[in-house]
Amino acid sequence: MSRWVIRLIILSVIILIAEIYAFQALKTVTKSRVIRWVWLGVSALVYINLIYVIFSTPRSMGQTLQFQYAVGFMLTILIPKAVLILMMFGEDVVRIIQKLISFFMPGETMPLASRRTFVAKLALGLAAIPFAGFIYGIIQGRYNYKVLKYHLEFDDLPEAFDGFTITQITDIHSGSFTNKEKIQYGVDLINEQKSDLMLFTGDIVNNVASEMDDWIDVFKVLKAPYGKFSVLGNHDYGDYVDWEHRVDKIKNFEAVKGIHPKIGFDLLLNEHRYIEKDGQKLALIGVENWGKGFNQAGDLEVATQGVSQNDFKILMSHDPSHWEYKVKKDDFNYQLTLSGHTHGLQMGIEIPGFFKWSPSQYVYKQWAGLYKEFGRYINVNRGFGYHAFPGRVGIWPEITVIELKKATKNV
């Protein structure tokens, strides 16, 4: 029996136990057979659909829209139930403690009769919050584009670039798109920023180059007077498809690279370009994907051949783990790095300026937003598109606008 099958069996057992536990909570609240059968029926349909999609989809197709929605529906019913289970489990722990106290101290009793019903109702009410959030995330949240603006000061920024603006987008994942009107709205919003320079930091598709065919006309209208530049992300290499022939993977990779000039972007493959303004310049460096534990094709040494250590440098590198492990302490001094990749897991809680949380932070130290260490910055864009889960809950699609400023010296 393969490890994959064993893991699937273990996961199925865990989910079954969770479903039984959650159903017991429902029975505490209502005696309506209709509600109970609807609960069971919806859950069964979601799991049957997921199993069907998993076993009926050839691996050669990679991740399909059908798989995304099957996962989306599962998360929509499972995460609210997790909230329900946690509360009911806590109540069960209290009940056990109270029974032990009653056993050893017969004179001491605590009321139990109505509390479980109250806790079950409260738990169901709280579970409805993430359920509504996931429904919104699938219907509208994935198109809830946010423009985030940063003003970054640098001592060594060439004076000609004081006030220079950069729009960063990342993780288009065109294979997930279904609504051209909504995507067009996002593209128009990018153009409305009227930035000097536009940078795309990888993952233009999910699996194969053809996913972008219907979207080239939408994205080729993007404009920036000082140019549009891009790099590759992990999904652009075709590694998530079970290719029958290696030559097909190579052809697809070449086709993915060919998308970038079609939409007007200069793809940097471990290369650099100089952006010039009023006789001064800054170095724009683009590396191939480099991620911790996989696909480390990015090569800073190759990309910076001909670049001076004294040059002001902007690095495009898809995966923020590259910055954490290789870039931030590099003596060559990369003043600003732009990344994507994490999507902020497309779900979490953010109160701008006060609180930010997502399970993504347990995998990536820099997972969303702006970070600074050793006097150097990295911005991790939350992504324009979506992948795996066909929605966004609390972590919205992002368009980043960065204004470079020359630091003023205090006299």
Side-chain angles (χ1 to χ4, degrees), residues 283-316:
L284 178 64
I285 301 158
V287 294
E288 291 196 50
N289 187 74
W290 193 103
K292 59 178 180 179
F294 68 98
N295 198 346
Q296 299 180 352
D299 193 322
L300 288 170
E301 185 175 347
V302 172
T304 55
Q305 288 181 3
V307 176
S308 169
Q309 184 174 4
N310 294 325
D311 288 332
F312 186 89
K313 294 174 283 295
I314 299 174
L315 172 65
M316 292 190 291

Short mmCIF file of all heavy atoms in Angstrom, two decimals, residues 283-316:
data_model
loop_
_atom_site.label_atom_id
_atom_site.label_comp_id
_atom_site.label_asym_id
_atom_site.label_seq_id
_atom_site.Cartn_x
_atom_site.Cartn_y
_atom_site.Cartn_z
N ALA A 283 19.71 49.37 -10.80
CA ALA A 283 19.80 48.02 -11.36
C ALA A 283 18.56 47.21 -10.99
O ALA A 283 18.21 47.10 -9.81
CB ALA A 283 21.05 47.32 -10.86
N LEU A 284 17.89 46.68 -11.99
CA LEU A 284 16.75 45.79 -11.79
C LEU A 284 17.23 44.37 -12.07
O LEU A 284 17.67 44.07 -13.18
CB LEU A 284 15.61 46.17 -12.72
CG LEU A 284 14.37 45.28 -12.66
CD1 LEU A 284 13.71 45.37 -11.30
CD2 LEU A 284 13.38 45.65 -13.75
N ILE A 285 17.14 43.50 -11.07
CA ILE A 285 17.68 42.15 -11.17
C ILE A 285 16.54 41.15 -11.05
O ILE A 285 15.69 41.25 -10.14
CB ILE A 285 18.72 41.90 -10.05
CG1 ILE A 285 19.86 42.91 -10.17
CG2 ILE A 285 19.25 40.47 -10.11
CD1 ILE A 285 20.63 43.12 -8.90
N GLY A 286 16.50 40.20 -11.97
CA GLY A 286 15.45 39.18 -11.93
C GLY A 286 16.04 37.79 -11.97
O GLY A 286 16.81 37.46 -12.88
N VAL A 287 15.70 36.98 -10.98
CA VAL A 287 16.21 35.61 -10.93
C VAL A 287 15.09 34.60 -11.16
O VAL A 287 13.92 34.89 -10.92
CB VAL A 287 16.90 35.31 -9.58
CG1 VAL A 287 18.15 36.16 -9.41
CG2 VAL A 287 15.94 35.50 -8.41
N GLU A 288 15.48 33.43 -11.60
CA GLU A 288 14.51 32.35 -11.72
C GLU A 288 14.10 31.90 -10.32
O GLU A 288 14.64 32.35 -9.31
CB GLU A 288 15.13 31.18 -12.50
CG GLU A 288 15.36 31.51 -13.98
CD GLU A 288 15.58 30.26 -14.80
OE1 GLU A 288 14.76 29.31 -14.67
OE2 GLU A 288 16.55 30.23 -15.56
N ASN A 289 13.13 31.02 -10.26
CA ASN A 289 12.58 30.64 -8.96
C ASN A 289 13.64 29.99 -8.06
O ASN A 289 14.43 29.15 -8.50
CB ASN A 289 11.42 29.65 -9.15
CG ASN A 289 10.71 29.36 -7.84
OD1 ASN A 289 9.98 30.19 -7.33
ND2 ASN A 289 10.94 28.18 -7.28
N TRP A 290 13.65 30.40 -6.82
CA TRP A 290 14.48 29.78 -5.78
C TRP A 290 13.62 29.62 -4.55
O TRP A 290 13.18 30.60 -3.94
CB TRP A 290 15.69 30.66 -5.45
CG TRP A 290 16.75 29.97 -4.63
CD1 TRP A 290 17.94 29.48 -5.07
CD2 TRP A 290 16.72 29.70 -3.21
NE1 TRP A 290 18.66 28.93 -4.03
CE2 TRP A 290 17.92 29.04 -2.87
CE3 TRP A 290 15.78 29.94 -2.20
CZ2 TRP A 290 18.22 28.62 -1.58
CZ3 TRP A 290 16.07 29.51 -0.91
CH2 TRP A 290 17.28 28.88 -0.61
N GLY A 291 13.36 28.38 -4.17
CA GLY A 291 12.52 28.12 -3.00
C GLY A 291 13.20 27.16 -2.06
O GLY A 291 13.95 26.28 -2.49
N LYS A 292 12.94 27.30 -0.78
CA LYS A 292 13.56 26.40 0.19
C LYS A 292 13.04 24.98 -0.05
O LYS A 292 11.85 24.71 -0.06
CB LYS A 292 13.25 26.85 1.61
CG LYS A 292 11.77 26.93 1.96
CD LYS A 292 11.57 27.34 3.41
CE LYS A 292 10.09 27.42 3.76
NZ LYS A 292 9.87 27.79 5.18
N GLY A 293 13.96 24.09 -0.30
CA GLY A 293 13.60 22.68 -0.46
C GLY A 293 13.22 22.26 -1.86
O GLY A 293 13.00 21.07 -2.11
N PHE A 294 13.09 23.20 -2.81
CA PHE A 294 12.75 22.78 -4.16
C PHE A 294 13.10 23.85 -5.18
O PHE A 294 13.19 25.03 -4.86
CB PHE A 294 11.25 22.45 -4.28
CG PHE A 294 10.35 23.65 -4.14
CD1 PHE A 294 9.84 24.29 -5.25
CD2 PHE A 294 9.99 24.14 -2.89
CE1 PHE A 294 9.00 25.39 -5.13
CE2 PHE A 294 9.16 25.23 -2.76
CZ PHE A 294 8.66 25.86 -3.88
N ASN A 295 13.32 23.44 -6.40
CA ASN A 295 13.48 24.29 -7.58
C ASN A 295 14.32 25.54 -7.32
O ASN A 295 13.83 26.66 -7.36
CB ASN A 295 12.09 24.70 -8.10
CG ASN A 295 12.17 25.20 -9.56
OD1 ASN A 295 13.24 25.48 -10.08
ND2 ASN A 295 11.02 25.31 -10.19
N GLN A 296 15.60 25.32 -7.07
CA GLN A 296 16.49 26.44 -6.79
C GLN A 296 17.27 26.82 -8.04
O GLN A 296 18.49 26.68 -8.12
CB GLN A 296 17.41 26.08 -5.62
CG GLN A 296 16.63 25.80 -4.34
CD GLN A 296 17.50 25.43 -3.16
OE1 GLN A 296 18.70 25.23 -3.29
NE2 GLN A 296 16.89 25.34 -1.98
N ALA A 297 16.52 27.34 -9.03
CA ALA A 297 17.12 27.72 -10.30
C ALA A 297 17.66 29.15 -10.28
O ALA A 297 18.42 29.54 -11.15
CB ALA A 297 16.09 27.58 -11.43
N GLY A 298 17.24 29.94 -9.30
CA GLY A 298 17.69 31.32 -9.20
C GLY A 298 19.18 31.40 -8.90
O GLY A 298 19.69 30.70 -8.02
N ASP A 299 19.88 32.27 -9.62
CA ASP A 299 21.34 32.40 -9.47
C ASP A 299 21.69 33.88 -9.40
O ASP A 299 21.76 34.57 -10.41
CB ASP A 299 22.05 31.73 -10.64
CG ASP A 299 23.53 31.54 -10.39
OD1 ASP A 299 24.15 32.45 -9.80
OD2 ASP A 299 24.09 30.50 -10.81
N LEU A 300 21.93 34.37 -8.20
CA LEU A 300 22.26 35.78 -8.01
C LEU A 300 23.58 36.15 -8.67
O LEU A 300 23.72 37.24 -9.22
CB LEU A 300 22.31 36.10 -6.52
CG LEU A 300 20.98 36.14 -5.77
CD1 LEU A 300 21.22 36.22 -4.27
CD2 LEU A 300 20.14 37.31 -6.24
N GLU A 301 24.54 35.25 -8.59
CA GLU A 301 25.87 35.55 -9.15
C GLU A 301 25.79 35.77 -10.65
O GLU A 301 26.39 36.71 -11.20
CB GLU A 301 26.84 34.42 -8.82
CG GLU A 301 28.27 34.71 -9.25
CD GLU A 301 29.24 33.63 -8.81
OE1 GLU A 301 28.87 32.78 -7.97
OE2 GLU A 301 30.38 33.63 -9.32
N VAL A 302 25.04 34.91 -11.33
CA VAL A 302 24.88 35.06 -12.78
C VAL A 302 24.08 36.31 -13.11
O VAL A 302 24.42 37.07 -14.01
CB VAL A 302 24.19 33.81 -13.38
CG1 VAL A 302 23.84 34.04 -14.86
CG2 VAL A 302 25.10 32.58 -13.24
N ALA A 303 23.02 36.53 -12.35
CA ALA A 303 22.11 37.65 -12.64
C ALA A 303 22.79 39.00 -12.46
O ALA A 303 22.38 39.99 -13.08
CB ALA A 303 20.88 37.56 -11.75
N THR A 304 23.80 39.08 -11.59
CA THR A 304 24.41 40.37 -11.28
C THR A 304 25.77 40.58 -11.95
O THR A 304 26.48 41.53 -11.60
CB THR A 304 24.57 40.53 -9.76
OG1 THR A 304 25.32 39.41 -9.24
CG2 THR A 304 23.22 40.59 -9.07
N GLN A 305 26.12 39.73 -12.89
CA GLN A 305 27.37 39.96 -13.62
C GLN A 305 27.29 41.30 -14.36
O GLN A 305 26.39 41.51 -15.16
CB GLN A 305 27.63 38.82 -14.61
CG GLN A 305 28.03 37.52 -13.94
CD GLN A 305 28.32 36.41 -14.95
OE1 GLN A 305 28.27 36.62 -16.16
NE2 GLN A 305 28.61 35.22 -14.46
N GLY A 306 28.23 42.20 -14.05
CA GLY A 306 28.21 43.53 -14.65
C GLY A 306 27.54 44.57 -13.78
O GLY A 306 27.51 45.75 -14.12
N VAL A 307 26.97 44.14 -12.63
CA VAL A 307 26.34 45.07 -11.69
C VAL A 307 27.35 45.42 -10.61
O VAL A 307 28.05 44.55 -10.08
CB VAL A 307 25.07 44.46 -11.05
CG1 VAL A 307 24.48 45.39 -10.01
CG2 VAL A 307 24.05 44.13 -12.12
N SER A 308 27.42 46.70 -10.25
CA SER A 308 28.34 47.15 -9.22
C SER A 308 27.71 47.02 -7.84
O SER A 308 26.49 47.19 -7.68
CB SER A 308 28.74 48.60 -9.48
OG SER A 308 29.43 49.13 -8.37
N GLN A 309 28.54 46.77 -6.85
CA GLN A 309 28.04 46.70 -5.48
C GLN A 309 27.46 48.03 -5.03
O GLN A 309 26.56 48.07 -4.20
CB GLN A 309 29.16 46.27 -4.53
CG GLN A 309 28.68 46.08 -3.09
CD GLN A 309 29.75 45.51 -2.18
OE1 GLN A 309 30.89 45.34 -2.61
NE2 GLN A 309 29.41 45.21 -0.95
N ASN A 310 27.94 49.11 -5.62
CA ASN A 310 27.46 50.44 -5.24
C ASN A 310 26.16 50.83 -5.93
O ASN A 310 25.55 51.85 -5.57
CB ASN A 310 28.53 51.49 -5.54
CG ASN A 310 29.77 51.31 -4.68
OD1 ASN A 310 29.68 50.91 -3.52
ND2 ASN A 310 30.94 51.57 -5.25
N ASP A 311 25.73 50.05 -6.91
CA ASP A 311 24.47 50.35 -7.60
C ASP A 311 23.29 50.17 -6.65
O ASP A 311 23.28 49.27 -5.80
CB ASP A 311 24.28 49.44 -8.81
CG ASP A 311 25.21 49.78 -9.97
OD1 ASP A 311 25.60 50.95 -10.09
OD2 ASP A 311 25.54 48.85 -10.75
N PHE A 312 22.29 51.00 -6.82
CA PHE A 312 21.03 50.77 -6.12
C PHE A 312 20.31 49.64 -6.83
O PHE A 312 20.10 49.67 -8.04
CB PHE A 312 20.16 52.03 -6.11
CG PHE A 312 18.92 51.88 -5.27
CD1 PHE A 312 18.94 52.19 -3.92
CD2 PHE A 312 17.73 51.40 -5.82
CE1 PHE A 312 17.80 52.05 -3.13
CE2 PHE A 312 16.60 51.25 -5.05
CZ PHE A 312 16.63 51.57 -3.70
N LYS A 313 19.91 48.60 -6.06
CA LYS A 313 19.42 47.37 -6.68
C LYS A 313 18.00 47.01 -6.21
O LYS A 313 17.70 47.07 -5.02
CB LYS A 313 20.38 46.21 -6.36
CG LYS A 313 21.76 46.39 -6.98
CD LYS A 313 22.73 45.32 -6.54
CE LYS A 313 23.25 45.55 -5.14
NZ LYS A 313 24.08 46.78 -5.03
N ILE A 314 17.18 46.63 -7.17
CA ILE A 314 15.86 46.07 -6.91
C ILE A 314 15.88 44.64 -7.43
O ILE A 314 16.16 44.41 -8.61
CB ILE A 314 14.74 46.87 -7.59
CG1 ILE A 314 14.72 48.31 -7.06
CG2 ILE A 314 13.38 46.20 -7.37
CD1 ILE A 314 13.73 49.20 -7.78
N LEU A 315 15.60 43.70 -6.55
CA LEU A 315 15.64 42.28 -6.92
C LEU A 315 14.22 41.72 -7.01
O LEU A 315 13.42 41.90 -6.09
CB LEU A 315 16.43 41.50 -5.87
CG LEU A 315 16.41 39.96 -5.99
CD1 LEU A 315 17.10 39.52 -7.28
CD2 LEU A 315 17.07 39.31 -4.77
N MET A 316 13.94 41.04 -8.10
CA MET A 316 12.68 40.30 -8.24
C MET A 316 12.98 38.81 -8.06
O MET A 316 13.73 38.22 -8.84
CB MET A 316 12.06 40.54 -9.62
CG MET A 316 11.56 41.94 -9.84
SD MET A 316 10.58 42.05 -11.38
CE MET A 316 11.85 41.80 -12.60
#
